[in-house]
Amino acid sequence: MSNPLMAVLASIHRYPKKLQSNFARDHAYEVARLASLGLITTREGDGFGHSWRCTYKGLRVLELGEPE
């Protein structure tokens, strides 16, 4: 994956990342962008958790792949 946003999204899908992890710090721009686009969230049921996870929209983006 040449697109850094897609690479971070795929990594979060494979293994949810903690909010204050080194991964989240190292990829702060990408995490912020993905969250603002609604592709990742910390929402778990009625509350919020401590890990970034893909949303349904994020999973669809991964499924369809990055546009050429």
Side-chain angles (χ1 to χ4, degrees), residues 32-62:
R33 185 81 173 118
L34 291 168
S36 69
L37 291 170
L39 301 179
I40 60 174
T41 187
T42 60
R43 190 163 190 75
E44 292 180 1
D46 292 336
F48 295 90
H50 299 284
S51 297
W52 288 111
R53 300 177 186 280
C54 284
T55 62
Y56 176 75
K57 183 178 175 183
L59 293 175
R60 290 288 295 159
V61 167
L62 282 175

Side-chain angles (χ1 to χ4, degrees), residues 3-67:
N3 185 337
L5 286 176
M6 291 294 286
V8 170
L9 183 61
S11 182
I12 290 172
H13 173 59
R14 283 190 299 275
Y15 183 76
K17 310 298 186 209
K18 297 286 184 183
L19 292 178
Q20 295 184 359
S21 67
N22 286 335
F23 180 90
R25 287 185 179 105
D26 292 344
H27 299 91
Y29 172 81
E30 291 85 359
V31 169
R33 185 81 173 118
L34 291 168
S36 69
L37 291 170
L39 301 179
I40 60 174
T41 187
T42 60
R43 190 163 190 75
E44 292 180 1
D46 292 336
F48 295 90
H50 299 284
S51 297
W52 288 111
R53 300 177 186 280
C54 284
T55 62
Y56 176 75
K57 183 178 175 183
L59 293 175
R60 290 288 295 159
V61 167
L62 282 175
E63 179 182 315
L64 297 174
E66 106 184 62

